[in-house]
Amino acid sequence: MKVTMTVNGATCSGEVEGRTLLVSFLRDTLHLTGTHVGCDTSQCGACVVHVNGRAVKSCTMLAAEAEGATVATIEGMADADGTLSPLQQAFQDHHGLQCGFCTPGMVMSAAALLAENPKPTEHEVRHYLEGNICRCTGYHNIVKAVLAASGQDLPAVAAE
Amino acid sequence: MPKDHGIGASIKRREDVRFLTGTGNYTDDINIRGQAHVYFLRSDVAHGRLNKVDTTAASAMPGVIRIFTGADFAGVGGLPCGWQVTDRFGVAMKEPGHPVLAQGKVRHVGDPIAAIVAETLEQARDAAEAIGLDIEELPAVVDMKAAIKDGSALVHDEIGSNLCYDWGFVEDNKAAVDAAIKGAAHVTTLELVNNRLIANPMEPRVAVGDYHRATDESTLYTTSQNPHVIRLLMGAFVLGIPEHKLRVVSPDVGGGFGTKIFHYAEEAFCTFAARKLNRPVKWTSSRSEAFMSDAHGRDHVTKIELALDADHNFVAIRTETYANMGAYLSTFAPSVPTWLHGTLMAGNYKTPHIYVNVKAVFTNTVPVDAYRGAGRPEATYQLERVIDKAARELGVDPIALRRQNFVREFPYQTPVAVVYDTGNYDATMDKLIEMADMAGFPARRAASEAKGRLRGLGVNCYIEACGIAPSNLVGQLGARAGLYESATVRVNATGGIVVMTGSHSHGQGHETAFPQVIAEMLGVDESLVEIVHGDTARGPMGMGTYGSRSLAVGGSAMVRAAEKVLNKAKKIAAHLMEASDQDIEIKDGRFHVAGTDKSVAWGDITLAAYVPHNYPLEDLEPGLEETAFYDPSNFTYPAGAYACEVELDPDTGRVTIERFAAADDFGNIINPMIVSGQVHGGIAQGIGQALLEGAVYDDNGQLLTGSYMDYAMPRATDVPFYSVDHSCVTPCTHNPLGVKGCGEAGAIGSPPAVINAVLDAMNSGGIKIDHIDMPVSPARVWAAIQTAKA
């Protein structure tokens, strides 16, 4: 079947099977390989994208279900000239990534958190990111990066 | 003021930009025109005789190109083991074959039986269901101690036993150790399990084989920590492809933690099948496959005895460990419970007599090999646990007991072969006490108790041997490879520098940190330096990244190559300025003649090297490119002290990590930001081992923890902010940077701190207990409380 959706502001169409997952459509059909697959039980969160403004694990949604939807992926986060978004920049500034594999999902989840809750506490950040597994950072610098991106005074909210 | 460039600066990582914008190039992002997909049909029984694999119906399924079975690999080598251990009696370990696809028997759940190559992955998977299997199920060998009793089923019939080796270290010390323990004033004994873990880098393994028939060249794209090693092992021992016809590429790799060191069947298969079918073949592991095919880690059962004299000086240590090898010997498996474990049993303490016995056992489980720390966490855990137990038995302060026995004179020859070059264990302990605010602990404990909770403080030290390793030494110890590292520093005509390193970065930030060293040495800006790694076609033979070796060994190779470049550059500069190269010095990015106002820029020198119109051609070759291989003379010995504070709910058994502090001595530091990040990640993995993680097999050899639904990975809510420090520096005495390595410390140092804290909390609440095994799940803690109360 044919599906059409808006991905990172552009209208995209492609042929899919009924069983094609949204993540497969993004990676294999649209070649947007920034969205990653880290598990097969919807646990790791490497595949998180935004569908109609909400964070979704794209391994848990069929491409067909996204017909007509507005999808945002990590490739659309930076400005057109390559300038990183404040959240992406905070991840770099605070060393919130190492191998980078969980990073796209982590950034997309964190962006959804900040959209819902612009000034989260440390506890709220950790709780919101529970569906995103990172094996490299021990979460320390990810939590710091998200708190920093929220514009809060980091030493005050993230005492080490 | 902190430096903003060169060695010691916390420069932001350049690789982050591609990772943050979704433009990294991981192996699964690679798709080659015309590629076919392979799906592996894996055994769902732990142990069985493979009577028949009927592929007739499956071969006729839509899209199927060819189905391979073990029979297709007759005459092809098996997966090699890279380390031969010799046992207590001077006999070589048992080394059964490890076929690419199962032949005759299946030996663990996940053992690949058939490989279905089809146009699409879905077609391959559908066809797998049509393969007829006749497997005669045999009793599964799971428990290590039962496995080496007479009458046990045999994982490998041809070796007549499930014992791989019975290793004694140092065998000649045994009598003295036995005597010292017999005559000791006090002996503390502890039996414990070092739980089996699954490394779980977030990127599952991927292999893409490609073949060009016209040139007879094979290329393997694979998620490896050491592509050159894969090229050597697979080319020379499995497929018979010489290096010049085989290229191995490991692009961006999403974490390794040891499990991506090893040469795996799927890599060999994709390379083999691409040649057979003359088209690219791709395999992407699902997470479920990863659980049953990535080498696991740890899995030791240990008894340790610590003997002390009447003044509480350590006089002897004796250990007996059963180490699980799994069903086959993975690439470096035999070395982990032996040379990476026994050699560290002295820890930070001067104990004159030590004997380590390790029995390595085959079982019907996934092969076990190095996982972050590899042998050193197992050594540290048992030692630091038994010291705490001794302190409790003797009624002395555990920190004071440690300090009393610290090694304080360096170099220090341990009784377990290695020589510590340098260290200062008092300094890291002093730092830790300050960082962990131990003075404030009684008040925090009182606050927890007021809420009906228990609070515990656990402390331990650790030492590790990193910078793996001196080739002549490991060769004597059974390694079948050298463990040097290489670097080529290529300076281009307009001054840009490309460094090709045999080290591999899969999260460690080499692309940022390595240029800091080059920039400092050559007086150029970091932005002029690019790091190339992960492609056997682009750099000299290298040994890859593991054992916290990249900077200590790979960095040292880079320094040696850069020194050669610098020496040549000075000669060119001297010629351009008609001076002696002895008088050339670098200042503010320019090459000056000392004591004069004459200078030339870096770009003047590099251009002269490649456009040698005014150039000492009779003395110097044109060009500016140098290669060095560095083989270290000793291991490095990072060490430190860790503290964990837990709160424990006695009603539910739930343990939460409230505070964690780590004081490490890594020697000199190139990029403190990256070093802190490495420690954070290691601590989280150690907390994971202590609180959450554990691979569990049932009696039939079924893996009960085969997904993230069952295997508890640490999540953001499971860990606190960590307090880490690496300001206590005793530089390594034998490598040019004075660096020691930081990648594994966190995972080595943290599990005993957590468990010591849990036991401290329980005892503080009147629950008399001296041992609990990892992971300390709420159920396990609650049960221990009930037992202690009964």
Side-chain angles (χ1 to χ4, degrees):
Chain A
M1 70 182 81
K2 187 182 176 191
V3 293
T4 302
M5 62 191 84
T6 304
V7 180
N8 300 331
T11 304
C12 303
S13 295
E15 284 295 323
V16 298
E17 293 183 64
R19 64 180 168 181
T20 304
L21 299 172
L22 177 58
V23 66
S24 308
F25 179 72
L26 294 171
R27 286 183 58 82
D28 301 337
T29 305
L30 302 185
H31 307 296
L32 293 170
T33 54
T35 301
H36 294 153
V37 179
C39 77
D40 45 12
T41 52
S42 293
Q43 291 281 308
C44 81
C47 66
V48 169
V49 300
H50 296 177
V51 178
N52 296 329
R54 294 189 56 187
V56 166
K57 288 181 173 172
S58 61
C59 73
T60 313
M61 184 172 183
L62 298 168
E65 290 179 280
E67 170 66 30
T70 298
V71 177
T73 72
I74 190 70
E75 287 92 344
M77 284 289 276
D79 290 349
D81 68 356
T83 305
L84 299 180
S85 71
L87 179 60
Q88 288 169 308
Q89 189 59 56
F91 268 72
Q92 186 187 30
D93 291 347
H94 295 277
H95 190 28
L97 63 153
Q98 290 181 26
C99 83
F101 196 80
C102 78
T103 306
M106 203 61 87
V107 170
M108 297 310 286
S109 284
L113 163 66
L114 295 179
E116 278 175 33
N117 180 0
K119 302 283 178 210
T121 64
E122 177 202 340
H123 175 78
E124 287 168 339
V125 174
R126 290 185 185 275
H127 185 71
Y128 197 92
L129 295 179
E130 226 175 8
N132 291 77
I133 305 176
C134 170
R135 194 55 152 170
C136 293
T137 65
Y139 302 100
H140 183 108
N141 286 336
I142 291 176
V143 177
K144 275 177 71 174
V146 177
L147 290 169
S150 74
Q152 301 182 82
D153 177 25
L154 205 50
V157 295
E160 284 176 26
Chain B
M1 192 177 150
K3 287 179 75 174
D4 63 359
H5 69 281
I7 292 173
S10 283
I11 294 179
K12 291 173 201 171
R13 298 200 326 167
R14 55 176 74 177
E15 47 270 76
D16 288 359
V17 176
R18 65 179 189 270
F19 297 147
L20 281 163
T21 52
T23 53
N25 183 35
Y26 297 89
T27 310
D28 193 43
D29 301 338
I30 294 170
N31 292 294
I32 304 174
R33 188 191 302 270
Q35 78 188 4
H37 297 264
V38 59
Y39 176 78
F40 290 93
L41 176 65
R42 296 176 185 277
S43 177
D44 59 5
V45 301
H47 192 196
R49 209 165 298 288
L50 195 53
N51 290 329
K52 193 172 179 194
V53 183
D54 183 353
T55 60
T56 318
S59 296
M61 299 271 289
V64 173
I65 298 163
R66 183 166 163 186
I67 298 175
F68 295 82
T69 66
D72 293 294
F73 284 80
V76 176
L79 302 173
C81 180
W83 202 298
Q84 183 182 65
V85 166
T86 303
D87 75 5
R88 290 172 61 191
F89 313 104
V91 178
M93 68 184 191
K94 299 288 193 303
E95 193 172 354
H98 187 179
V100 174
L101 296 175
Q103 294 177 352
K105 275 174 90 172
V106 288
R107 295 188 175 85
H108 67 87
V109 169
D111 209 358
I113 297 168
I116 303 96
V117 182
E119 297 296 339
T120 71
L121 178 60
E122 291 76 15
Q123 289 169 332
R125 201 181 288 155
D126 289 346
E129 292 181 12
I131 291 178
L133 288 182
D134 175 2
I135 299 178
E136 176 192 343
E137 202 168 341
L138 298 168
V141 178
V142 178
D143 179 79
M144 285 192 278
K145 289 184 180 173
I148 54 173
K149 291 204 171 116
D150 289 343
S152 170
L154 296 178
V155 179
H156 297 275
D157 306 273
E158 68 276 16
I159 60 174
S161 155
N162 291 317
L163 185 67
C164 178
Y165 55 74
D166 180 357
W167 185 74
F169 185 66
V170 176
E171 194 61 25
D172 291 344
N173 294 351
K174 188 171 187 305
V177 171
D178 291 347
I181 288 177
K182 206 169 178 184
H186 184 87
V187 179
T188 297
T189 303
L190 182 61
E191 294 188 44
L192 49 80
V193 172
N194 203 292
N195 41 329
R196 178 185 273 245
L197 302 177
I198 302 176
N200 273 302
M202 292 319 298
E203 178 204 32
R205 289 188 294 119
V206 181
V208 187
D210 193 15
Y211 180 61
H212 287 268
R213 187 172 275 172
T215 57
D216 193 33
E217 287 174 336
S218 292
T219 302
L220 170 68
Y221 301 88
T222 183
T223 48
S224 176
Q225 299 175 218
N226 33 235
H228 283 92
V229 175
I230 302 304
R231 183 182 65 168
L232 180 64
L233 292 175
M234 182 175 76
F237 297 99
V238 188
L239 301 179
I241 307 171
E243 285 99 323
H244 66 291
K245 292 294 184 186
L246 177 58
R247 176 183 174 201
V248 178
V249 183
S250 297
D252 289 329
V253 172
F257 313 115
T259 205
K260 289 178 181 168
I261 298 171
F262 321 120
H263 177 39
Y264 285 98
E266 297 86 357
E267 297 169 319
F269 177 81
C270 289
T271 310
F272 175 84
R275 290 169 73 93
K276 286 281 175 202
L277 301 172
N278 195 31
R279 60 185 286 191
V281 175
K282 180 174 185 175
W283 172 71
T284 300
S285 175
S286 68
R287 183 59 61 183
S288 300
E289 279 183 289
F291 272 95
M292 56 179 157
S293 67
D294 289 5
H296 292 182
R298 317 278 194 260
D299 204 353
H300 286 191
V301 176
T302 292
K303 177 183 175 186
I304 180 169
E305 296 160 282
L306 171 66
L308 304 93
D309 68 15
D311 297 324
H312 303 160
N313 297 310
F314 300 168
V315 294
I317 293 168
R318 183 169 59 195
T319 75
E320 182 186 34
T321 287
Y322 293 80
N324 206 332
M325 294 287 103
Y328 303 99
L329 289 180
S330 175
T331 310
F332 290 114
S335 67
V336 174
T338 50
W339 302 108
L340 295 176
H341 165 251
T343 50
L344 274 300
M345 203 53 78
N348 310 56
Y349 314 102
K350 44 184 197 297
T351 307
H353 300 291
I354 298 177
Y355 178 73
V356 178
N357 175 243
V358 178
K359 297 172 181 73
V361 182
F362 290 110
T363 60
N364 291 118
T365 62
V366 171
V368 180
D369 206 327
Y371 165 59
R372 199 171 195 170
R376 291 150 287 172
E378 295 91 319
T380 302
Y381 181 66
Q382 57 185 283
L383 182 60
E384 295 295 327
R385 286 287 319 283
V386 81
I387 292 172
D388 251 40
K389 186 179 177 191
R392 200 173 294 117
E393 287 174 354
L394 297 167
V396 299
D397 174 56
I399 295 177
L401 182 61
R402 286 178 168 86
R403 280 200 199 265
Q404 176 180 341
N405 288 282
F406 273 165
V407 173
R408 290 198 175 86
E409 287 169 18
F410 297 90
Y412 175 72
Q413 170 69 61
T414 71
V416 277
V418 293
V419 180
Y420 302 161
D421 61 338
T422 182
N424 185 345
Y425 310 143
D426 287 296
T428 45
M429 183 60 84
D430 291 343
K431 188 76 198 174
L432 181 78
I433 288 169
E434 171 199 326
M435 291 163 69
D437 182 26
M438 290 190 197
F441 176 70
R444 293 192 294 275
R445 170 173 274 174
S448 294
E449 288 173 349
K451 294 187 293 181
R453 306 278 169 84
L454 300 173
R455 198 172 185 103
L457 172 65
V459 173
N460 64 269
C461 300
Y462 79 92
I463 186 163
E464 52 170 332
C466 294
I468 291 172
S471 293
N472 55 4
L473 177 62
V474 295
Q476 291 168 31
L477 304 182
R480 289 163 168 163
L483 286 169
Y484 51 83
E485 196 48 89
S486 67
T488 294
V489 176
R490 174 177 296 163
V491 183
N492 295 311
T494 60
I497 300 163
V498 179
V499 179
M500 284 143 277
T501 171
S503 298
H504 186 277
S505 184
H506 31 279
Q508 296 89 338
H510 298 171
E511 292 171 38
T512 299
F514 283 15
Q516 293 179 237
V517 176
I518 295 291
E520 179 100 16
M521 289 181 70
L522 301 182
V524 299
D525 193 82
E526 277 94 359
S527 63
L528 278 184
V529 187
E530 200 71 29
I531 302 296
V532 168
H533 65 94
D535 185 344
T536 60
R538 294 183 73 189
M541 175 70 185
M543 294 306 295
T545 287
Y546 39 84
S548 306
R549 71 191 301 274
S550 296
L551 195 58
V553 190
S556 297
M558 187 175 68
V559 168
R560 291 283 185 255
E563 284 169 354
K564 294 185 195 179
V565 164
L566 188 59
N567 288 338
K568 187 169 177 181
K570 282 183 176 176
K571 287 182 178 149
I572 298 169
H575 175 86
L576 292 176
M577 295 184 282
E578 297 177 337
S580 161
D581 59 310
Q582 303 297 319
D583 296 333
I584 302 296
E585 57 185 32
I586 305 175
K587 209 166 68 185
D588 302 327
R590 294 181 71 84
F591 285 59
H592 296 259
V593 179
T596 74
D597 60 355
K598 284 203 282 190
S599 71
V600 288
W602 173 246
D604 298 328
I605 296 167
T606 62
L607 194 64
Y610 288 93
V611 187
H613 296 164
N614 173 20
Y615 193 86
L617 285 167
E618 59 282 6
D619 298 323
L620 281 182
E621 295 172 8
L624 197 50
E625 172 172 330
E626 299 288 351
T627 294
F629 285 72
Y630 180 85
D631 205 297
S633 60
N634 191 357
F635 294 93
T636 64
Y637 300 94
Y642 282 26
C644 177
E645 223 171 288
V646 300
E647 200 173 72
L648 187 154
D649 183 342
D651 294 330
T652 64
R654 181 156 191 262
V655 174
T656 51
I657 309 284
E658 298 298 320
R659 298 167 65 94
F660 202 104
D664 294 290
D665 174 0
F666 294 134
N668 294 330
I669 304 284
I670 306 300
N671 184 318
M673 175 194 80
I674 290 175
V675 170
S676 295
Q678 290 292 306
V679 179
H680 296 157
I683 292 172
Q685 290 184 6
I687 290 173
Q689 169 163 30
L691 281 193
L692 300 163
E693 298 178 45
V696 179
Y697 281 92
D698 73 8
D699 293 343
N700 298 317
Q702 289 293 331
L703 178 62
L704 301 181
T705 49
S707 81
Y708 288 149
M709 311 291 279
D710 318 291
Y711 186 93
M713 293 281 281
R715 311 225 176 197
T717 46
D718 295 314
V719 291
F721 282 125
Y722 322 100
S723 173
V724 304
D725 179 89
H726 22 81
S727 65
C728 300
V729 172
T730 59
C732 171
T733 59
H734 56 81
N735 65 43
L737 290 167
V739 297
K740 296 183 177 179
C742 67
E744 297 162 294
I748 294 169
S750 51
V754 176
I755 303 304
N756 286 343
V758 169
L759 294 172
D760 182 53
M762 291 169 83
N763 281 286
S764 78
I767 302 158
K768 293 295 170 203
I769 181 170
D770 56 26
H771 175 60
I772 189 166
D773 268 323
M774 303 185 287
V776 288
S777 60
R780 198 170 258 175
V781 173
W782 188 85
I785 292 172
Q786 305 317 308
T787 304
K789 277 184 183 168

